[in-house]
């Protein structure tokens, strides 16, 4: 890679040991992917996981004196304020689990990150512009910023996005270059995409779609922001996709021809109602009695919280119900009286928390219900099982304690 004088100085440690370490990681990544140079970024989002390797690396950078040049927004860990006051959860966590969250918080604070603890920054706190070059990690975020906002980010890891935030640079390869943003696979959607849940299932068709950039056609109704959030999250649970095109929605896909850059699709795939039904049944726990409902992977929008509140208003839930969201949305829900409605029914809104965290260990061995395959996928390793249905069915099930 050809580095400028100042980039070379960063690599050699003239800007401190922390910057040199971040630069070393980025130059090695750039060389592995054949990048010719580094380019500046104007935004970053770090998918901190609050798990050992991630926190170790952030602490190492902080100890070496690194500070973020571009302050990134960050993903959730778990809310110490909420779960350390929640008896069952606190009993199921170890002292190490609680200490890890404190260490993560302190490391990212020291690095100068914006401590949003939210995994949908592209809907509120960190929205890029068309063609803006950025460094984003997080499975639903990268496809959203590329495919909906038309910004340019590779599918960064939490570590490489943190390095980008520290140096203010990224190696130029992959989705930063015009020629790599064209479609590869034509995906004709014949299924009725009549609600946001259908996009969860469409996203989970990664195995059938296969590797490359999909170009979706047949989506006759404009998808909602939540539908697009669902699509990206599930594409990156069932596969690995930094970008997709929806003709008429993605800024770089006004027509099918433009989306493919005048080349022929390498593959054509058809998705039917039967495909969506089969994938739901394959990944869902069998219907029957449920012990709780959990939503917000990715974090629920205020519209989704409102949808749940409308369904439970004036009723009593038969089982626990939690909604994970950002601190901002929780605050809005309080202000709008929505939280009060959910609390009165026996449910709760949990801020700044991810499904893949030890705070949910107390649900081990129980069967929950959720609208998100991603939410069901990650906690499997912690012994949590989920029936997967649309939001309305999930809430009706939580009111009855069972789902048909
Ligand atoms: Fe967000 Fe964690 Fe799900 S970061 S998308 S709640 S796995």
């Amino acid at each position: 890679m050809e580095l400028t004088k100042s980039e070379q100085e960063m690599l050699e440690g003239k800007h401190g040991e922390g910057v040199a370490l971040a630069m070393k990681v980025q130059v090695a990544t750039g060389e592995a992917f054949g990048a010719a140079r580094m380019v500046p970024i104007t935004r970053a989002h770090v998918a901190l996981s609050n798990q050992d390797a991630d926190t170790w690396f952030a602490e190492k950078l902080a100890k070496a004196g690194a500070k973020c040049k571009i302050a990134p927004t960050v993903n959730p860990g778990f809310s110490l304020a909420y779960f350390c006051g929640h008896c069952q959860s606190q009993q199921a966590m170890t002292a190490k689990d609680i200490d890890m969250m404190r260490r993560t918080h302190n490391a990212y604070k020291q690095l100068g990150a914006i401590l949003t603890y939210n995994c949908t920054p592209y809907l509120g706190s960190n929205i890029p512009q068309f063609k803006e070059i950025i460094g984003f990690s997080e499975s639903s975020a990268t496809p959203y910023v590329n495919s909906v906002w038309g910004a340019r980010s590779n599918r960064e890891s939490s570590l490489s996005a943190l390095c980008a935030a520290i140096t203010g640079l990224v190696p130029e390869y992959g989705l930063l270059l015009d020629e790599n943003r064209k479609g590869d696979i034509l995906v004709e959607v014949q299924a009725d995409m009549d609600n946001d849940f259908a996009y969860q299932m469409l996203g989970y068709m990664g195995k059938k779609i296969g590797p490359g950039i999909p170009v979706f056609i047949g989506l006759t109704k404009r998808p909602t922001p939540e539908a697009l959030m669902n699509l990206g999250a599930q594409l990156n649970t069932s596969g690995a996709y930094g970008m997709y095109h929806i003709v008429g929605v993605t800024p770089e896909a006004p027509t099918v021809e433009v989306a493919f850059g005048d080349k022929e699709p390498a593959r054509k795939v058809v998705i039917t109602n039967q495909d969506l039904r089969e994938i739901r049944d394959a990944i869902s726990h069998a219907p029957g009695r449920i012990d709780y409902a959990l939503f917000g992977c990715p974090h629920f929008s205020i519209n989704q919280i409102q949808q749940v509140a409308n369904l439970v208003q004036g009723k009593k839930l038969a089982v626990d119900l939690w909604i994970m969201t950002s601190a901002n949305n929780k605050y809005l829900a309080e202000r709008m009286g929505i939280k009060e409605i959910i609390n009165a029914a026996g449910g709760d809104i949990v801020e700044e928390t991810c499904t893949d965290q030890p705070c949910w260990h107390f649900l081990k061995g129980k069967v929950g219900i959720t609208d998100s395959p991603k939410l069901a996928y990650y906690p499997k390793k912690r012994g949590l099982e989920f029936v997967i249905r649309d939001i309305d069915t999930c809430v009706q099930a939580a009111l009855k304690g069972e789902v048909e």
Side-chain angles (χ1 to χ4, degrees), residues 47-48 75-76 118-120 138-140 233 296-299 324 353-356 372 374-375 378:
L48 67 76
N75 257 19
N118 161 237
C119 48
T120 58
E138 168 47 38
S139 57
S140 76
C297 175
H299 276 175
M324 297 178 290
T353 295
C354 164
T355 181
D356 188 20
S372 164
K374 186 178 179 187
L375 191 150
Y378 282 104

Side-chain angles (χ1 to χ4, degrees), residues 1-4 6-8 10-11 19 22-31 35-41 133 156 160 163-164 167-173 176:
M1 273 177 83
E2 204 167 309
L3 300 182
T4 64
S6 107
E7 289 162 3
Q8 190 62 41
M10 288 163 89
L11 187 62
V19 172
M23 197 66 177
K24 201 168 152 192
V25 170
Q26 291 193 288
V27 170
T29 308
E31 282 175 350
R37 58 177 187 160
M38 302 291 285
V39 285
I41 56 160
I133 296 173
E156 303 287 354
S160 67
C163 291
T167 61
L169 301 162
V170 281
E172 190 181 41
Y173 70 93
L176 304 193

